[in-house]
């Protein structure tokens, strides 16, 4: 196992949750990517949605990443979620393993342990994660670790408010860009319907510089996300990089109280590549942060049972010549969002070793994507 970033407390009936605060930002002068900031506080102003859609256009069609500010979520609630995540990772390993992800079935709910070797580097994956599904009847049977059970009402409320406050608005803005009815993408990702959406607590355990060097030599090419939309809350430890349209690697700068957003493969499939699913990666933190465990709070929005993985009937896509006759044929069979995402998760994660040579690409019911990039 990679070096632990936290020490396990003595087990008690009630899991202690100590307040977590963001570490100091790096003082290093990194090559930051210029990302547009979308101020969602303007969403309900007269003409606000239309103006924000114009601002978002370049980000979703060319860059694939942007930052949301003015989202209205109180930062104390955000920090509380970080605190809960940090407390979970302090739990004994047997408690965390009690809710392990079922990768054999492509299910990503539960705990992902940092136990896989990275090829023949002699270094293990340093990522731990806990994925919490939506609080809907379809997922009531999903087991929860004790810290989640003890704080579930609070977590479920944050989960739902995040969707309504941020994700709902972003799907409306993207629908406006595509000249679709405003609720079109929102209906395909309805919160109350079955999908593999999840809130994620994520921990990049610390490594030595030598371990980082060995791991990065193998995983330097990056990846794309499986679902439709990813939200990453600011936590100040640098390391996330995107491959820009100019084919350069640049850092994503944490924005105080902002949410970094990016599109996934599913959104790209739904628009025949018009919307950009950007390649990204996490690299060695700068020297003044390399000893800080990188705690993450994310939300992954994924297409569900009622999202059919074929291009949407966008008038804009049609004018641009991006819709074929097959695309317009509603009788053609296609995978659902849940089917695609679970097949993708199983292909990447249901294996004991991270080996790019064995599964460099993935194809499922006509949908094809690279698992890893050079």
């Amino acid at each position: 196992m990679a070096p632990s970033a936290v020490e396990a407390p003595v087990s008690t009936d009630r899991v202690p949750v100590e307040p977590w605060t963001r570490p100091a930002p790096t003082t290093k002068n990194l090559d930051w990517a210029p990302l547009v900031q979308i101020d969602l506080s303007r969403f309900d102003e007269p003409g606000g949605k239309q103006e924000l859609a114009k601002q978002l256009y370049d980000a979703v069609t060319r860059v694939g990443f942007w930052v949301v500010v003015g989202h209205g979520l109180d930062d104390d609630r955000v920090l509380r979620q970080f605190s809960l995540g940090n407390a979970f990772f302090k739990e004994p390993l047997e408690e965390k393993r009690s809710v392990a992800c079922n990768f054999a079935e492509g299910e990503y709910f539960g705990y992902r342990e940092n136990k896989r070797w990275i090829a023949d580097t002699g270094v293990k994956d340093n990522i731990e994660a806990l994925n919490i599904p939506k609080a809907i009847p379809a997922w009531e049977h999903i087991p929860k670790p004790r810290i989640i059970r003890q704080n579930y009402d609070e977590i479920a409320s944050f989960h739902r408010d995040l969707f309504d406050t941020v994700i709902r608005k972003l799907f409306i803005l993207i629908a406006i860009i595509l000249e679709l009815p405003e609720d079109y993408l929102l209906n395909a990702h309805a919160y109350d319907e079955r999908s593999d959406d999840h809130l994620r607590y994520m921990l990049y355990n610390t490594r030595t510089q030598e371990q980082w060097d060995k791991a990065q030599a193998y995983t330097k090419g990056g990846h794309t996300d499986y679902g439709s939309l990813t939200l990453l809350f600011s936590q100040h430890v640098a390391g996330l990089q995107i491959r820009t349209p100019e084919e350069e690697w640049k850092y994503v700068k944490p924005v105080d109280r902002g949410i970094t957003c990016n599109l996934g493969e599913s959104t790209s499939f739904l628009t025949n590549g018009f919307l950009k699913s950007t390649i990204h990666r996490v690299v060695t933190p700068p020297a003044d942060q390399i000893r800080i465990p990188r705690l993450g709070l994310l939300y992954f929005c994924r297409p569900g049972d009622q999202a059919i993985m074929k291009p949407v009937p966008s008038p804009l896509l049609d004018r641009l010549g991006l819709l074929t006759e097959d695309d317009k044929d509603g009788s053609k069979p296609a995978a659902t969002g849940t089917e695609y995402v679970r097949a993708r998760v199983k292909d990447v994660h249901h294996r004991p070793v991270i080996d790019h040579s064995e599964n460099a690409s993935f194809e499922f019911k006509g949908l094809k994507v690279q698992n890893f990039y050079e």
Side-chain angles (χ1 to χ4, degrees):
M1 178 178 295
S4 177
V6 286
E7 294 181 2
V10 176
S11 177
T12 60
D13 290 338
R14 185 79 186 178
V15 180
V17 181
E18 298 296 329
W20 180 90
T21 58
R22 296 180 181 91
T26 181
T27 59
K28 303 300 180 182
N29 185 22
L30 302 178
D31 189 7
W32 303 109
L35 301 183
V36 68
Q37 292 191 17
I38 302 298
D39 184 357
L40 286 184
S41 68
R42 300 186 54 208
F43 184 86
D44 292 318
E45 295 177 359
K49 289 181 290 188
Q50 289 69 26
E51 182 59 32
L52 290 174
K54 291 178 183 177
Q55 294 176 17
L56 187 59
Y57 185 96
D58 185 69
V60 296
T61 61
R62 196 178 69 87
V63 180
F65 270 71
W66 67 95
V67 178
V68 161
V69 296
H71 45 74
L73 288 169
D74 189 272
D75 200 50
D76 287 342
R77 293 182 72 193
V78 174
L79 290 175
R80 171 66 175 174
Q81 292 303 309
F82 274 109
S83 299
L84 289 166
N86 193 48
F88 169 78
F89 293 120
K90 293 179 182 178
E91 286 279 81
L93 184 57
E94 58 268 26
E95 164 65 14
K96 293 186 285 189
R97 281 178 170 170
S98 69
V99 291
C101 295
N102 183 7
F103 288 135
E105 298 298 327
E107 295 178 5
Y108 214 163
F109 299 145
Y111 174 60
R112 169 185 168 183
E113 185 177 344
N114 53 329
K115 62 181 182 180
R116 295 191 299 169
W117 294 99
I118 300 175
D120 59 356
T121 63
V123 178
K124 281 190 174 180
D125 183 13
N126 69 330
I127 297 172
E128 291 183 76
L130 176 66
N131 298 326
I132 307 166
K134 299 183 290 187
I136 60 175
W139 302 138
E140 286 180 351
H141 67 284
I142 302 295
K144 304 174 184 68
R146 59 179 180 169
I147 190 171
I148 304 305
R149 296 195 303 270
Q150 293 168 3
N151 299 277
Y152 191 62
D153 288 347
E154 179 182 0
I155 294 167
S157 173
F158 181 81
H159 210 289
R160 182 62 191 247
D161 288 349
L162 175 58
F163 188 94
D164 289 343
T165 305
V166 181
I167 295 171
R168 177 184 66 85
K169 295 176 182 178
L170 290 176
F171 277 136
I172 290 173
L173 296 181
I174 295 170
I176 291 172
I177 290 171
L178 295 172
E179 301 174 12
L180 292 166
E182 289 189 2
D183 61 357
Y184 189 95
L185 295 174
L186 191 59
N187 289 341
H189 297 83
Y191 187 90
D192 294 310
E193 300 296 331
R194 210 180 88 113
S195 73
D196 283 0
D197 282 33
H198 56 267
L199 184 72
R200 177 177 297 179
Y201 304 144
M202 192 169 190
L203 182 67
Y204 284 83
N205 287 282
T206 56
R207 284 172 168 156
T208 65
Q209 184 65 62
E210 180 183 9
Q211 289 171 327
W212 271 110
D213 291 345
K214 288 180 178 179
Q216 280 186 208
Y218 192 79
T219 61
K220 63 182 179 181
H223 65 279
T224 53
D225 289 346
Y226 314 153
S228 298
L229 184 63
T230 302
L231 277 60
L232 169 67
F233 283 86
S234 178
Q235 45 70 51
H236 288 180
V237 177
L240 175 62
Q241 291 184 334
I242 66 169
R243 186 184 289 180
T244 68
E246 296 75 29
E247 299 295 317
E248 298 174 328
W249 286 107
K250 290 184 181 291
Y251 285 88
V252 173
K253 188 173 185 177
V255 173
D256 189 38
R257 304 193 181 192
I259 305 174
T260 299
C261 305
N262 67 278
L263 299 177
E265 299 161 4
S266 299
T267 311
S268 184
F269 289 143
L270 292 173
T271 59
N272 269 346
F274 180 67
L275 297 184
K276 175 81 168 176
S277 178
T278 296
I279 302 166
H280 55 283
R281 65 185 183 182
V282 172
V283 298
T284 311
D288 60 348
Q289 294 184 323
I290 195 169
R291 297 184 183 277
I292 302 173
R294 189 173 188 270
L295 183 67
L297 175 65
L298 306 93
Y299 188 102
F300 290 84
C301 184
R302 293 179 162 171
D305 290 358
Q306 59 183 359
I308 305 302
M309 300 304 295
K310 61 186 303 181
V312 297
S314 159
L316 176 60
L317 296 184
D318 200 15
R319 287 200 309 277
L320 293 173
L322 294 176
L323 296 182
T324 67
E325 291 306 312
D326 279 351
D327 294 334
K328 300 175 186 180
D329 185 352
S331 67
K332 294 285 185 179
T336 67
T338 301
E339 288 174 332
Y340 171 75
V341 167
R342 293 199 171 189
R344 184 85 160 87
V345 168
K346 180 178 179 179
D347 183 69
V348 171
H349 291 287
H350 187 48
R351 54 185 70 243
V353 176
I354 300 173
D355 190 340
H356 296 183
S357 62
E358 290 186 2
N359 61 334
S361 64
F362 171 72
E363 187 168 1
F364 180 76
K365 294 189 176 182
L367 304 171
K368 188 172 183 179
V369 69
Q370 290 290 111
N371 275 333
F372 308 101
Y373 293 83
E374 295 298 327

